Amino acid sequence: MNLESLNPQQREAVCHGKGPSMVVAGAGSGKTRVITCRISHLIREIGVDPESILAITFTNKAAGEMKERIRNILNQREGSPWVSTFHSFCLRILRKHITELGFSSDFAVYDAQDQLLLVKQCMKEMQISTDAFPAKSLLNHISGFKNDFVLADQLDLDSMSYGNQMKAAELYPIYQSALKSNNALDFDDLLVCTAKLFQQVSSLREHYDKKFQYILVDEFQDTNAVQYELVRLLSRDVNNVCVVGDDDQSIYRWRGANIENILKFEKDYPGTTVIKLEENYRSTQNILSAAGNVVRENLNRNEKTLWTQNEKGDPVVCHKAEDETSEAAFVCDRIQNLCQEEGYSFNEIAILYRTNAQSRVIEDILRRAEIPYQVIGGLRFYERKEIKDVLAYLQVLINPEDSVSLKRIVNVPARGIGKTSLEKVEKFCMGKDLTLFEGLRQASHGGLVGTAATKKIENFISIMDHLDSIYRQSNPLELLAEVIDRSGYATMLKNEDTRESKGRMENLNELYSAVEHLVENENGSLREFLDSTALVADLDNLDDTRGILPLMTLHTCKGLEFSAVFVVGMENGLLPHASAMSDSAEYEEERRLCYVGFTRAKKRLFVSHARRRRIYGNTFNYPPSEFLHSIPEEVMVRESGFQEYQTETSIQYSGSSNSSFAVEKESSVSFSIGTKVLHPKFGAGIVINRSGEEEDLKLEVFFKGPHGKKKLAANIANLIIL
């Protein structure tokens, strides 16, 4: 390893000895290189056993890149450190030790779709209306409790005001009990259960604390309460923990990330050595000046100034468009120019936006221009119906207690097992404390349901018993082929004989290829394969080797870099988002989000905003984003696709922003129960009841904080749909 290739601050971080250290690494400052070089230094120069090093990051993509870099530095004989995401690390621990918490080691990991189905099932059991309380909202609140490491029996219902959060708190223990009955964990439970395990079984915590002599945590600004607790538990005795992060890139508050974790690290770990990496190797100076001046206005941050030895570069282009269509046309035109005149490839360019809804118009324009593109963060491969169906068969074979997967496949393909029959079996199971699969087996012997239904259930049990014998005797590849054939899935798709069914069969063939890779190259088990499908993230679908233009949200782009970047929709109401404009902490996160988007660009940065925008079924007159005012004029050129204008009416928002934006009211606006709204005085809320129609429409809205429940006339309340 050549330390001479590192700058002085990087060398200091790499060669730091024992004790806690915090590397404050600005965007593009080479933090991944520092982590991999530090691991190599510990092994090669200090003589640390590779398997006593734990390196944790946040995405499978980053973990894979880190493993590859370490592999290139070290000899295979030297062994391998543990390099993984938080969730992968916890899953590995739980597969070995979860019996201590009363689960079987063959537990299932439920993805977002499975969790939502189970929540709806629990809501039905508790007679909670999905109209008044959207299932997804309750699930998000439960996830929030877990991210804050608040268990179901630790909630104080008396301290909560009426609304979705309180209803979620009531549902939380029921949901956890249902997961336990299914021998399943959700994504958040992987972290929570591991932390509980280390808290409750001291010998286990001491074993892993002793095992991992050195711990490195990347993207530390993105950790939530339970992840922070995991790091604390694993470094209680041996305090050699190195955290790497940048508070200016903390953009996941909405999913539990706590910026205070990095800001308070020095206090919680006395004697911490702090090293700042401020030299940027990615972007031009103009791009860094634009990004730095935007985020510098935040109060809650560690002071740092990014600089670069790179060229000054082209100025940032700020384009004013007439509407969202002309904005998309501008982006498309500039992309074509970059490719045709400057030699860029489509995969070297990215279009970034604040909300997924903004992609539709851009996609329309790109299709007409025949520019190949990929939307990152759309429906993932393992979330497609046919893939979920076939994987559900495999889940049930491994874990027969998994009723969510069993319900998914019991009548897929259609075999005449109706909802009424299934409800009878479920009711029978509750009275006998049986799993649903055991109940179906008893029903197949007759007497529980009608004769016709009994025969159909008997046929299903026969199929599953046959597949179970294959599972026990064959490899995963043979089992998958048998599941697709014996279940009738292949026949069903063949009989449909449509373009869609052929595409679905192609997806199943791709699934076959994925399992084939597992068997031939990794000699992995079926359980390991299903685990890997559960841990797939949005960015794992990004193929940056092909000439395809990526489109994604600003939240998704972190960790990536592109030669040219377009940040669209830079307007008050979009960036910063309307929901954040009355909350100073959320408003600061919007600034950080803008900073992250800007610093993805290496050479060219384009930002745009529209005078008038139709989105969410409404038309808005948003003014340009306040963040644009922070960019020095000397690093930016302004273009305009229309004459200057003035807004006629505006809605003022209190909090950290003084800006306003105008909204064109339309008769088509719908305020159904469960709709999230923003009020100029009361802030964010949710519609919990409604009466009347058109001009007489009255809404009952529950607002966050002290405002609580309010009755409003829809035509004069100036509500914005979020």
Side-chain angles (χ1 to χ4, degrees), residues 673-715:
I673 293 175
T675 299
K676 293 180 180 179
V677 295
L678 188 70
H679 187 275
K681 179 180 178 181
F682 305 132
I686 187 167
V687 177
I688 60 174
N689 208 346
R690 55 174 285 161
S691 60
E693 295 294 337
E694 300 293 337
E695 294 298 314
D696 295 325
L697 178 61
K698 302 293 189 298
L699 302 175
E700 197 169 345
V701 182
F702 186 86
F703 293 99
K704 293 179 182 178
H707 304 297
K709 195 162 47 174
K710 300 286 182 182
K711 290 185 177 180
L712 305 169
N715 66 330

Side-chain angles (χ1 to χ4, degrees), residues 40-59:
S40 174
H41 178 77
L42 289 171
I43 296 169
R44 289 283 183 82
E45 308 301 327
I46 310 300
V48 176
D49 178 0
E51 294 195 359
S52 68
I53 299 173
L54 171 64
I56 297 179
T57 187
F58 269 78
T59 67

Side-chain angles (χ1 to χ4, degrees), residues 179-228:
L179 283 169
K180 186 75 177 291
S181 299
N182 284 278
N183 190 34
L185 304 181
D186 65 18
F187 212 52
D188 298 314
D189 282 333
L190 295 177
L191 306 177
V192 171
C193 287
T194 306
K196 281 172 58 180
L197 198 61
F198 288 152
Q199 285 183 341
Q200 295 175 14
V201 187
S202 57
S203 59
L204 202 60
R205 185 201 64 78
E206 290 166 6
H207 167 76
Y208 283 103
D209 195 339
K210 186 176 180 182
K211 175 179 176 59
F212 298 122
Q213 295 294 300
Y214 289 87
I215 298 174
L216 300 93
V217 185
D218 192 13
E219 305 287 7
F220 194 69
Q221 76 281 347
D222 292 334
T223 53
N224 57 32
V226 66
Q227 288 162 337
Y228 193 86

Side-chain angles (χ1 to χ4, degrees), residues 10 23 35 72 96 119 123 150 204 214 296 321 327 433 439 520 529 543 617 629:
Q10 290 174 331
V23 181
I35 294 171
N72 291 336
K96 290 183 179 180
V119 160
M123 290 177 70
V150 179
L204 202 60
Y214 289 87
R296 191 170 291 124
E327 178 188 49
D433 196 25
E520 292 181 354
F529 176 74
D543 184 353
H629 303 322

Side-chain angles (χ1 to χ4, degrees), residues 209-494:
D209 195 339
K210 186 176 180 182
K211 175 179 176 59
F212 298 122
Q213 295 294 300
Y214 289 87
I215 298 174
L216 300 93
V217 185
D218 192 13
E219 305 287 7
F220 194 69
Q221 76 281 347
D222 292 334
T223 53
N224 57 32
V226 66
Q227 288 162 337
Y228 193 86
E229 177 66 6
L230 279 167
V231 174
R232 190 190 68 81
L233 288 166
L234 287 170
S235 61
R236 184 184 294 178
D237 301 328
V238 182
N239 206 16
N240 299 326
V241 57
C242 171
V243 300
V244 183
D246 179 9
D247 47 296
D248 285 339
Q249 296 186 70
S250 178
I251 59 173
Y252 297 120
R253 186 172 181 265
W254 53 276
R255 69 181 189 198
N258 187 353
I259 193 174
E260 292 300 322
N261 288 351
I262 195 168
L263 296 176
K264 71 178 183 179
F265 185 81
E266 291 178 78
K267 180 181 177 182
D268 289 353
Y269 289 80
T272 294
T273 299
V274 179
I275 303 154
K276 291 184 179 181
L277 304 184
E278 296 175 295
E279 182 176 359
N280 177 282
Y281 294 91
R282 176 189 300 153
S283 306
T284 65
Q285 187 58 56
N286 279 341
I287 291 171
L288 292 183
S289 296
N293 278 281
V294 168
V295 81
R296 191 170 291 124
E297 296 192 22
N298 278 353
L299 300 177
N300 202 23
R301 66 186 290 264
N302 285 309
E303 183 56 41
K304 71 187 80 66
T305 302
L306 283 185
W307 61 277
T308 184
Q309 296 184 49
N310 295 340
E311 62 184 352
K312 185 178 180 181
D314 292 307
V316 176
V317 174
C318 179
H319 181 83
K320 297 179 181 180
E322 173 67 26
D323 54 27
E324 73 279 7
T325 303
S326 59
E327 178 188 49
F330 153 75
V331 171
C332 182
D333 182 60
R334 284 303 176 94
I335 288 172
Q336 289 175 319
N337 287 341
L338 288 171
C339 294
Q340 294 167 7
E341 298 177 13
E342 300 184 38
Y344 283 64
S345 298
F346 289 130
N347 58 287
E348 295 179 292
I349 306 168
I351 302 175
L352 310 178
Y353 36 79
R354 177 62 178 83
T355 66
N356 281 306
Q358 291 169 256
S359 77
R360 182 192 60 79
V361 177
I362 297 170
E363 289 185 67
D364 288 345
I365 299 291
L366 292 174
R367 276 195 298 269
R368 282 183 224 144
E370 298 184 344
I371 293 177
Y373 69 89
Q374 178 185 13
V375 178
I376 310 302
L379 187 65
R380 297 194 287 262
F381 177 76
Y382 292 108
E383 291 176 344
R384 297 180 188 278
K385 182 182 186 304
E386 60 276 11
I387 303 299
K388 285 280 293 178
D389 289 344
V390 170
L391 291 182
Y393 276 93
L394 302 178
Q395 290 280 19
V396 173
L397 291 172
I398 290 178
N399 177 22
E401 296 175 45
D402 182 356
S403 67
V404 170
S405 295
L406 182 56
K407 285 180 182 178
R408 184 180 188 98
I409 61 172
V410 69
N411 200 40
V412 175
R415 48 178 64 94
I417 302 175
K419 183 179 177 182
T420 303
S421 297
L422 203 58
E423 286 177 347
K424 287 181 180 178
V425 175
E426 281 188 287
K427 189 174 181 181
F428 172 77
C429 290
M430 290 194 321
K432 303 285 186 181
D433 196 25
L434 297 173
T435 67
L436 180 58
F437 196 91
E438 290 169 336
L440 287 170
R441 188 175 293 281
Q442 292 196 24
S444 69
H445 299 314
L448 186 57
V449 294
T451 305
T454 298
K455 192 166 185 178
K456 290 164 185 172
I457 292 174
E458 182 183 357
N459 178 53
F460 173 71
I461 294 295
S462 173
I463 291 171
M464 296 304 294
D465 285 345
H466 170 77
L467 294 175
D468 184 63
S469 67
I470 301 295
Y471 165 55
R472 297 180 187 283
Q473 298 170 18
S474 306
N475 67 34
L477 199 58
E478 293 169 343
L479 175 62
L480 178 62
E482 195 70 16
V483 165
I484 294 172
D485 179 51
R486 181 76 183 211
S487 67
Y489 215 97
T491 302
M492 175 187 73
L493 294 179
K494 184 179 178 181

